[in-house]
Amino acid sequence: MSENTFFPIRSWSEDDKPREKLLLKGKAALSDAELIAILIGSGSRNESAVALSQRILASVNQNLNALGKLSVAQLNKFKGIGDAKAITIQAAMELGRRRRAEEAEELQKITSSQTVFEIMQPIIGELSYEEFWIIYLNNANKIIAKSQLSKGGITGTVVDVRLVFKTALELGAVGIILTHNHPSGTLQPSESDKQITRKLKTGGEQLDIKILDHVIVTESRYFSFSDDGIL
């Protein structure tokens, strides 16, 4: 039999149908569950790979970001998922995260708070603890460097103002964007967030280095001090 012999999709097993669909219609035509089914390859005796994938997605409310946070042990709780399949899912989720990060790196010029979010969300948006980062810009608002200033527990970080401006002077930056994440998901700035913003703004005025924005990043949304008129 020729290796090019075509078998209609109805003759394929349930576990193979997503592969056939991808070949015929392209990857964009597949649902999230069908893509995951291709990753895991097979289901169990009583459940196809697609049905198993649908069940896994239902457990995280169809949220791929939440799926990416599941541990191997948590994935193993689903009948039909062993270590190998769990690791495959985790690897695919991590590749997706890294791809988003690399795409964001191509945005060399900051044009809006949305740009800041697109750059920083893959880095800090899904962390379970706070990190405070500084984006240093030249006079064309192009990124010179991004630097993690501090990281802390669930409730906050410590910011070293002197280090912020020491680095800015070394880099020759004329503009700075502050950004940190809120693991709780809340978008409202705390009083501490406002205080450190005012402190850095005052320090920058003395050195002719402008604080352009402070962007709070969560998993799917952001808050901009500049957009809200409180910078």
Side-chain angles (χ1 to χ4, degrees):
M1 183 180 294
S2 169
E3 63 179 3
N4 294 321
T5 300
F6 175 74
F7 293 94
I9 193 168
R10 63 179 177 273
S11 71
W12 286 55
S13 71
E14 288 298 318
D15 288 341
D16 286 333
K17 284 181 180 178
R19 297 183 182 88
E20 172 75 349
K21 185 175 178 181
L22 188 149
L23 288 171
L24 292 174
K25 298 183 178 181
K27 59 190 178 183
L30 274 67
S31 66
D32 291 346
E34 289 171 326
L35 290 169
I36 295 169
I38 291 175
L39 291 173
I40 63 178
S42 62
S44 61
R45 180 179 299 177
N46 299 316
E47 186 176 42
S48 70
V50 173
L52 174 55
S53 300
Q54 289 171 337
R55 189 157 56 89
I56 293 170
L57 283 169
S59 75
V60 292
N61 296 316
Q62 314 300 321
N63 188 311
L64 291 177
N65 284 326
L67 176 62
K69 294 178 182 179
L70 295 183
S71 66
V72 169
Q74 288 173 313
L75 288 167
N76 281 343
K77 292 180 180 178
F78 294 92
K79 184 177 180 181
I81 298 292
D83 284 351
K85 292 179 180 180
I87 290 168
T88 298
I89 292 172
Q90 281 201 329
M93 295 296 104
E94 178 62 15
L95 281 173
R97 187 195 67 78
R98 293 184 186 185
R99 180 182 179 186
R100 293 201 313 273
E102 288 183 0
E103 288 173 346
E105 288 291 339
E106 297 173 4
L107 301 172
Q108 294 296 316
K109 185 173 182 178
I110 299 294
T111 58
S112 66
S113 56
Q114 176 68 33
T115 308
V116 178
F117 175 72
E118 290 170 357
I119 290 170
M120 296 306 300
Q121 193 283 333
I123 299 172
I124 62 175
E126 298 176 21
L127 297 179
S128 60
Y129 53 87
E130 281 195 16
E131 287 191 357
F132 200 106
W133 284 64
I134 305 293
I135 300 176
Y136 297 95
L137 306 173
N138 65 15
N139 58 7
N141 281 352
K142 290 187 176 181
I143 299 172
I144 301 172
K146 300 192 303 294
S147 175
Q148 181 199 88
L149 187 63
S150 64
K151 65 180 179 179
I154 295 175
T155 56
T157 63
V158 176
V159 175
D160 187 332
V161 175
R162 291 172 299 179
L163 182 59
V164 172
F165 292 112
K166 178 178 181 292
T167 305
L169 291 170
E170 290 173 348
L171 293 170
V174 300
I176 286 176
I177 293 175
L178 320 174
T179 179
H180 76 284
N181 61 312
H182 276 181
S184 65
T186 180
L187 287 177
Q188 289 305 308
S190 67
E191 188 56 38
S192 175
D193 295 337
K194 295 176 182 178
Q195 287 176 359
I196 192 61
T197 304
R198 288 193 293 266
K199 192 172 183 179
L200 284 162
K201 182 179 180 181
T202 300
E205 288 170 351
Q206 303 301 313
L207 298 169
D208 202 24
I209 297 173
K210 190 172 182 179
I211 305 301
L212 299 172
D213 203 350
H214 185 166
V215 178
I216 297 171
V217 174
T218 67
E219 189 171 296
S220 58
R221 299 181 297 163
Y222 69 92
F223 175 90
S224 162
F225 277 59
S226 179
D227 292 352
D228 208 59
I230 60 173
L231 187 63

